[in-house]
Amino acid sequence: MTGSMDGKKLVIIGSSSGIGRQLAADAIAAGATVVLAGRNPRASGTASVDLGDEESIARLAHDVGELDYLVSVAAAHANGPVAGLDRAAVTRAFDAKVIGPIMLAKHFGPQIREGGAILLFSGVAAWRPAPGRAVMATTNGAVSFLAEALAVELAPIRVNALSPGIVDSGAWDGMGENKNDFFAAIAAANPARRVGSSADISAAAILALTNPFMTGTTLHVDGGGRLA
């Protein structure tokens, strides 16, 4: 049944994010066993993995063994004008969103059980590029095409992408008092007239993982932000 995760094993890469934590909690509540992994694990029980290091991906896959679902919410930003971009930062951004997920598919794909799925995270910046966001737009756009390509190559394993809009997941807390004004402006422009929540994104992620007839698709959970 769509939405049921009872008895399934889910691996979440980039689990320290607000969206990752919400998805983990919701998946556990739905009956799944969850393995959390990240580049800089700080919580007990979180495995270490660096999407820029294939050996660490292979080690994690070996330790995890068979699984049902794999989600990568990892990201590394390289924002700023093209004229001032640092090559190493750009490479890290592509490792997190594109090259790393290809290596995840390489090492985890053979271990995904029948009916299983992979979910990659894109983002609204791919459809709403802005100055200073060239790398973000490009990596997020590549994720969408990668999901299509992997859906064909790894079939019958299902592969989808999820493209969130502006979400109050903790990622914007560094704006301080300016966050509320920023969110108000986004909400006023979005057809949904609100910003997203981690719960919104988690619900869509579980749909993409558990719907047996969904593959090669990018789910836009952005309040219509790409249309604004």
Side-chain angles (χ1 to χ4, degrees):
M1 181 178 69
T2 300
S4 174
M5 302 190 82
D6 191 37
K8 305 297 185 181
K9 183 192 285 188
L10 165 65
V11 176
I12 303 176
I13 310 294
S15 55
S16 64
S17 70
I19 291 172
R21 292 193 300 270
Q22 181 72 56
L23 176 57
D26 292 345
I28 290 170
T33 297
V34 177
V35 178
L36 307 176
R39 184 176 180 183
N40 297 305
R42 288 169 288 184
S44 175
T46 301
S48 177
V49 67
D50 181 351
L51 293 189
D53 178 359
E54 184 179 357
E55 289 187 5
S56 80
I57 293 171
R59 283 194 300 271
L60 180 64
H62 176 269
D63 292 343
V64 166
E66 289 191 341
L67 69 156
D68 298 285
Y69 304 129
L70 173 66
V71 177
S72 180
V73 296
H77 301 305
N79 296 329
V82 170
L85 288 177
D86 175 71
R87 181 180 177 84
V90 173
T91 299
R92 286 192 296 271
F94 275 87
D95 278 338
K97 285 280 193 175
V98 185
I99 303 172
I102 291 173
M103 295 298 103
L104 288 172
K106 172 182 176 180
H107 292 283
F108 281 88
Q111 301 175 185
I112 295 178
R113 291 188 278 250
E114 182 178 356
I118 296 172
L119 180 64
L120 307 177
F121 267 66
S122 177
V124 70
W127 288 268
R128 293 281 303 204
R133 298 293 186 268
V135 177
M136 182 181 288
T138 304
T139 54
N140 283 327
V143 169
S144 187
F145 286 106
L146 177 59
E148 294 181 0
L150 290 178
V152 173
E153 180 160 347
L154 301 184
I157 295 169
R158 294 175 294 103
V159 185
N160 293 293
L162 196 161
S163 176
I166 303 301
V167 177
D168 188 6
S169 62
W172 303 96
D173 290 354
M175 296 182 70
E177 295 179 358
N178 294 326
K179 186 180 84 166
N180 290 336
D181 290 339
F182 172 65
F183 280 173
I186 294 296
N190 271 357
R193 297 296 188 263
R194 60 186 284 265
V195 298
S197 69
S198 294
D200 295 326
I201 307 307
S202 176
I206 290 175
L207 169 66
L209 291 172
T210 61
N211 189 308
F213 203 51
M214 182 182 295
T215 193
T217 296
T218 297
L219 288 178
H220 295 276
V221 189
D222 59 10
R226 71 193 183 285
L227 309 175

